[in-house]
Short mmCIF file of all heavy atoms in Angstrom, two decimals:
data_model
loop_
_atom_site.label_atom_id
_atom_site.label_comp_id
_atom_site.label_asym_id
_atom_site.label_seq_id
_atom_site.Cartn_x
_atom_site.Cartn_y
_atom_site.Cartn_z
N GLY A 235 4.37 -14.32 9.28
CA GLY A 235 5.53 -15.11 9.80
C GLY A 235 6.74 -15.03 8.87
O GLY A 235 7.45 -16.03 8.70
N ILE A 236 7.00 -13.86 8.32
CA ILE A 236 8.21 -13.65 7.52
C ILE A 236 9.28 -13.11 8.40
O ILE A 236 9.15 -12.06 9.02
CB ILE A 236 7.97 -12.59 6.41
CG1 ILE A 236 6.68 -12.86 5.61
CG2 ILE A 236 9.20 -12.47 5.48
CD1 ILE A 236 6.69 -14.10 4.87
N PRO A 237 10.43 -13.86 8.50
CA PRO A 237 11.55 -13.31 9.38
C PRO A 237 12.07 -11.99 8.78
O PRO A 237 12.65 -12.01 7.69
CB PRO A 237 12.58 -14.44 9.28
CG PRO A 237 11.79 -15.65 8.87
CD PRO A 237 10.72 -15.13 7.94
N LEU A 238 11.87 -10.92 9.46
CA LEU A 238 12.21 -9.62 8.95
C LEU A 238 12.47 -8.69 10.15
O LEU A 238 11.77 -8.71 11.13
CB LEU A 238 11.05 -9.09 8.11
CG LEU A 238 11.22 -7.72 7.39
CD1 LEU A 238 10.54 -7.74 6.01
CD2 LEU A 238 10.53 -6.59 8.22
N ILE A 239 13.53 -7.84 10.02
CA ILE A 239 13.86 -6.89 11.06
C ILE A 239 13.79 -5.51 10.46
O ILE A 239 14.47 -5.24 9.45
CB ILE A 239 15.25 -7.15 11.62
CG1 ILE A 239 15.28 -8.49 12.30
CG2 ILE A 239 15.68 -6.05 12.59
CD1 ILE A 239 16.63 -8.85 12.82
N GLY A 240 13.05 -4.59 11.08
CA GLY A 240 13.01 -3.23 10.62
C GLY A 240 14.15 -2.45 11.19
O GLY A 240 14.61 -2.71 12.30
N VAL A 241 14.69 -1.47 10.44
CA VAL A 241 15.77 -0.64 10.90
C VAL A 241 15.37 0.82 10.57
O VAL A 241 15.10 1.15 9.42
CB VAL A 241 17.10 -0.93 10.21
CG1 VAL A 241 18.22 -0.07 10.79
CG2 VAL A 241 17.46 -2.39 10.38
N GLY A 242 15.38 1.68 11.64
CA GLY A 242 14.98 3.05 11.42
C GLY A 242 15.64 3.97 12.44
O GLY A 242 16.60 3.58 13.13
N LEU A 243 15.13 5.16 12.55
CA LEU A 243 15.68 6.17 13.47
C LEU A 243 14.60 6.53 14.52
O LEU A 243 13.43 6.57 14.17
CB LEU A 243 16.13 7.44 12.74
CG LEU A 243 17.18 7.27 11.64
CD1 LEU A 243 17.44 8.61 10.94
CD2 LEU A 243 18.48 6.71 12.23
N LEU A 244 15.04 6.77 15.73
CA LEU A 244 14.11 7.23 16.76
C LEU A 244 14.14 8.77 16.73
O LEU A 244 15.14 9.37 17.09
CB LEU A 244 14.53 6.76 18.15
CG LEU A 244 13.51 7.21 19.20
CD1 LEU A 244 12.21 6.44 19.13
CD2 LEU A 244 14.08 7.14 20.62
N TYR A 245 13.06 9.36 16.30
CA TYR A 245 12.96 10.84 16.32
C TYR A 245 12.29 11.27 17.59
O TYR A 245 11.10 10.98 17.81
CB TYR A 245 12.15 11.29 15.11
CG TYR A 245 12.64 10.79 13.75
CD1 TYR A 245 12.12 9.68 13.15
CD2 TYR A 245 13.68 11.49 13.11
CE1 TYR A 245 12.58 9.25 11.92
CE2 TYR A 245 14.15 11.04 11.88
CZ TYR A 245 13.62 9.92 11.28
OH TYR A 245 14.05 9.49 10.06
N ASN A 246 13.06 11.97 18.42
CA ASN A 246 12.48 12.38 19.71
C ASN A 246 11.35 13.30 19.53
O ASN A 246 10.42 13.39 20.39
CB ASN A 246 13.54 13.06 20.56
CG ASN A 246 14.58 12.13 21.05
OD1 ASN A 246 14.30 10.90 21.14
ND2 ASN A 246 15.77 12.62 21.37
N GLN A 247 11.38 14.13 18.52
CA GLN A 247 10.31 15.11 18.32
C GLN A 247 9.39 14.69 17.19
O GLN A 247 8.34 15.31 16.95
CB GLN A 247 10.87 16.50 18.06
CG GLN A 247 11.74 17.01 19.21
CD GLN A 247 12.22 18.40 18.95
OE1 GLN A 247 12.26 18.90 17.82
NE2 GLN A 247 12.62 19.10 20.01
N GLY A 248 9.73 13.70 16.44
CA GLY A 248 8.93 13.23 15.34
C GLY A 248 8.78 14.30 14.26
O GLY A 248 9.69 15.08 14.00
N TYR A 249 7.65 14.24 13.59
CA TYR A 249 7.31 15.24 12.60
C TYR A 249 6.56 16.32 13.37
O TYR A 249 6.14 16.15 14.48
CB TYR A 249 6.43 14.60 11.53
CG TYR A 249 6.39 15.32 10.20
CD1 TYR A 249 7.52 15.75 9.61
CD2 TYR A 249 5.15 15.55 9.58
CE1 TYR A 249 7.49 16.43 8.38
CE2 TYR A 249 5.10 16.21 8.35
CZ TYR A 249 6.24 16.65 7.75
OH TYR A 249 6.20 17.27 6.53
N PHE A 250 6.32 17.49 12.77
CA PHE A 250 5.69 18.55 13.54
C PHE A 250 4.20 18.30 13.78
O PHE A 250 3.55 17.52 13.05
CB PHE A 250 5.90 19.89 12.80
CG PHE A 250 5.09 20.02 11.54
CD1 PHE A 250 3.82 20.58 11.53
CD2 PHE A 250 5.60 19.59 10.34
CE1 PHE A 250 3.09 20.68 10.34
CE2 PHE A 250 4.85 19.70 9.15
CZ PHE A 250 3.60 20.25 9.18
N ARG A 251 3.69 18.94 14.82
CA ARG A 251 2.26 18.98 15.06
C ARG A 251 1.68 20.23 14.44
O ARG A 251 2.28 21.28 14.55
CB ARG A 251 1.97 18.97 16.56
CG ARG A 251 2.62 17.85 17.36
CD ARG A 251 2.11 16.48 16.96
NE ARG A 251 0.68 16.31 17.31
CZ ARG A 251 0.23 15.70 18.37
NH1 ARG A 251 1.07 15.20 19.25
NH2 ARG A 251 -1.05 15.58 18.56
N GLN A 252 0.54 20.07 13.76
CA GLN A 252 0.02 21.19 12.99
C GLN A 252 -1.18 21.87 13.68
O GLN A 252 -2.05 21.19 14.25
CB GLN A 252 -0.48 20.66 11.62
CG GLN A 252 -1.17 21.67 10.75
CD GLN A 252 -1.97 21.03 9.64
OE1 GLN A 252 -2.84 20.20 9.90
NE2 GLN A 252 -1.68 21.37 8.41
N SER A 253 -1.15 23.22 13.69
CA SER A 253 -2.36 23.94 14.04
C SER A 253 -2.48 25.11 13.08
O SER A 253 -1.58 25.37 12.31
CB SER A 253 -2.31 24.44 15.53
OG SER A 253 -1.16 25.26 15.66
#
Side-chain angles (χ1 to χ4, degrees):
I236 310 297
L238 181 143
I239 295 177
V241 182
L243 301 177
L244 180 74
Y245 303 97
N246 289 337
Q247 300 183 340
Y249 201 48
F250 70 92
R251 306 295 296 261
Q252 176 197 55
S253 59

